[in-house]
Amino acid sequence: MTKLEPGAISALRHAHAKQDEFIYILQGYPTLYTDAGPTSLSPGMCAGFKAGSGDAHRLVDETASDVVYLEIGDRTAGDQVVYPDDDLQAAFVDNIFRFAHKDGTPY
C-alpha cells in the first residue's frame, strides 16, 4: 500500500522489461501519466502495466488530498528499467537495482 501526499509522484516515469505492475486506487484522485498522456483515476479503478510494452508510467497526486493505492509487482531477476524523460536506466542484478546514465556510465 502506497500513500501519495498532495504534489507527490509515485516514481519517475518508467517502463520495465520483465516485471508486470498493477495498481488499484483505494483513496483519492491521482493522474496516471503514460505514453498516451494523462488519465484521471478514482477509487475502485485499476491499471496494469505489461512488462516489455515500453509504455512508461507514473502516478501524480495533483489534488489537495492524499492518494492511497495498492501497487503490485515483484523484483524479477534480469529486469531492465527505462526512464524516457530522464538520463537514467536501471538493471536488477544480484537482487539490487544498479542505476546508470543512458550512456551506461554508473551513478
Side-chain angles (χ1 to χ4, degrees), residues 9 11-14 58 81-89 100-103 107:
I9 64 171
L12 298 175
R13 205 167 65 87
H14 66 285
R58 73 174 180 177
V81 186
V82 295
Y83 299 83
D85 305 329
D86 300 280
D87 181 21
L88 183 64
Q89 62 182 349
H101 295 273
K102 286 183 178 175
D103 69 2
Y107 272 98

Side-chain angles (χ1 to χ4, degrees), residues 43-91:
M45 294 179 79
C46 62
F49 313 103
K50 183 161 178 52
S53 72
D55 189 5
H57 58 276
R58 73 174 180 177
L59 286 178
V60 180
D61 184 354
E62 299 174 330
T63 72
S65 301
D66 290 346
V67 168
V68 179
Y69 64 99
L70 297 177
E71 181 175 6
I72 300 157
D74 64 10
R75 299 290 184 244
T76 305
D79 192 17
Q80 301 283 320
V81 186
V82 295
Y83 299 83
D85 305 329
D86 300 280
D87 181 21
L88 183 64
Q89 62 182 349

